[in-house]
Amino acid sequence: MIKPAGEIILKIDDLKKTFDGLEVLKGISLTVHSGEVICIIGPSGSGKSTLLRCVNLLETPDSHCIFYHGEDILDKSFNVSAYRKKAGMVFQSFNLFPLKTALENVTMGPVTLNKLSKHAAKEEGTQLLNQVGLGDKLDAYPHTLSGGQQQRVAIARALAMHPELLLFDEPTSALDPEMIGEVLNVIRDLARSGMTMLVVTHEMGFAREVSDRIVFMDNGLIVEESDPETFFTAPETDRAREFLSKIIRHGPSEERGGEEL
Ligand code: ADP
Ligand code: MG
């Protein structure tokens, strides 16, 4: 999938993150263009979640190193709440509000943060839940929904904020195998629609199919970065080869995931 490079949305320049003296990210540099789908893969503990959490300012990077449309996201004058609306995140564990219905989960942000009227938010929320195949679950509470359905509500909720960039942190890792496909289909549709996305995943077939670029992380660093065909057919580093062979040989249990290559 070759797309013309859009404008630069996000520039990460030598990102380091230390927790209690432990350097978890050791200098990550990554540029994200509008419309790009970047899949981030790598072993557990390599820093993938920390990278996404720094991008979304759920963690604070050690220095000023992330720029959104050229603006330093750690600058005092940077509007963090506006930024968070533009950079939506979808978590492995869905993180829905348990006492709100599917539709309320989706409309809450637009009504409270974007000051959209309840009526307009409901209309759009209904349309978004239809889009993710949950038009018949508007009034359902999260505990009555399957994991795959809950994750699709979470995606609709992220979309309701009209994000410019979506961050997915292993969106299918908590799901039973039969539900992985329905969530990947929704993400695949978003990729086709031109949404800019950073997707941490262990679904190798999916990563190969939808991504414009694969970023392979190990031990707090980007070890390899290339187009998916190159990465999956001719990885350059021993570390990537080893990771891929483990995933292919042992399947999902090795690093969690589902699809075979
Ligand atoms: P991945 O998502 O690739 O599995 P993480 O980003 O979750 O990796 O974690 C990378 C490393 O950082 C791990 O060793 C983890 O224990 C550590 N880590 C992550 N978050 C914290 C935290 N809040 N405090 C201390 N250590 C953390
Ligand atoms: Mg993680």
Side-chain angles (χ1 to χ4, degrees):
M1 216 190 297
I2 296 180
K3 288 182 196 162
E7 63 174 314
I8 293 175
I9 292 187
L10 196 70
K11 193 166 169 48
I12 303 171
D13 187 15
D14 200 24
L15 163 58
K16 293 181 177 151
K17 176 65 186 171
T18 308
F19 290 112
D20 307 321
L22 176 72
E23 199 175 46
V24 164
L25 297 180
K26 300 175 179 173
I28 299 277
S29 297
L30 185 67
T31 302
V32 183
H33 297 85
S34 171
E36 265 192 312
V37 178
I38 299 177
C39 283
I40 301 168
I41 66 179
S44 192
S46 55
K48 305 179 300 295
S49 294
T50 306
L51 169 60
L52 289 194
R53 292 172 62 81
C54 283
V55 167
N56 205 30
L57 284 178
L58 294 172
E59 303 287 357
T60 309
D62 292 351
S63 67
H64 294 243
C65 56
I66 302 181
F67 302 87
Y68 176 68
H69 289 290
E71 274 189 82
D72 174 357
I73 69 172
L74 289 182
D75 194 89
K76 279 195 204 76
S77 66
F78 186 74
N79 187 337
V80 174
S81 55
Y83 171 64
R84 285 234 177 84
K85 291 181 205 165
K86 289 286 157 197
M89 184 130 165
V90 174
F91 301 88
Q92 181 176 332
S93 49
F94 328 131
N95 295 8
L96 295 177
F97 299 104
L99 300 179
K100 305 271 180 199
T101 64
L103 185 58
E104 286 165 351
N105 264 280
V106 175
T107 57
M108 241 177 105
V111 170
T112 57
L113 302 173
N114 281 354
K115 308 288 176 231
L116 196 64
S117 75
K118 279 192 175 149
H119 178 75
K122 270 189 174 175
E123 229 166 71
E124 192 182 6
T126 303
Q127 184 260 316
L128 285 169
L129 284 167
N130 266 310
Q131 184 184 324
V132 300
L134 294 173
D136 58 340
K137 297 288 183 190
L138 302 181
D139 298 324
Y141 286 89
H143 75 273
T144 68
L145 298 173
S146 71
Q149 291 170 333
Q150 290 187 55
Q151 191 60 300
R152 285 183 283 146
V153 174
I155 294 171
R157 180 176 63 176
L159 291 173
M161 300 305 288
H162 297 277
E164 187 181 15
L165 171 69
L166 277 180
L167 311 168
F168 289 89
D169 192 0
E170 296 198 36
T172 61
S173 290
L175 300 178
D176 290 332
E178 71 270 22
M179 289 165 195
I180 290 175
E182 68 196 41
V183 171
L184 292 183
N185 282 341
V186 169
I187 303 174
R188 188 181 282 116
D189 286 346
L190 287 175
R192 293 200 180 118
S193 76
M195 177 64 76
T196 311
M197 305 197 284
L198 290 178
V199 187
V200 174
T201 184
H202 290 301
E203 299 296 330
M204 297 299 135
F206 171 78
R208 185 171 181 170
E209 179 199 334
V210 305
S211 68
D212 299 297
R213 225 172 342 140
I214 299 284
V215 165
F216 174 68
M217 285 181 65
D218 190 24
N219 199 19
L221 286 168
I222 294 178
V223 174
E224 202 161 327
E225 186 178 348
S226 57
D227 69 275
E229 271 322 291
T230 306
F231 182 79
F232 286 107
T233 56
E236 280 170 20
T237 60
D238 288 344
R239 195 58 199 95
R241 271 193 290 275
E242 190 188 321
F243 175 78
L244 287 173
S245 74
K246 267 191 196 161
I247 288 228
I248 295 163
R249 215 163 347 108
H250 301 293
S253 59
E254 184 66 27
E255 288 290 343
R256 294 198 63 96
E259 269 172 54
E260 294 289 317
L261 266 180

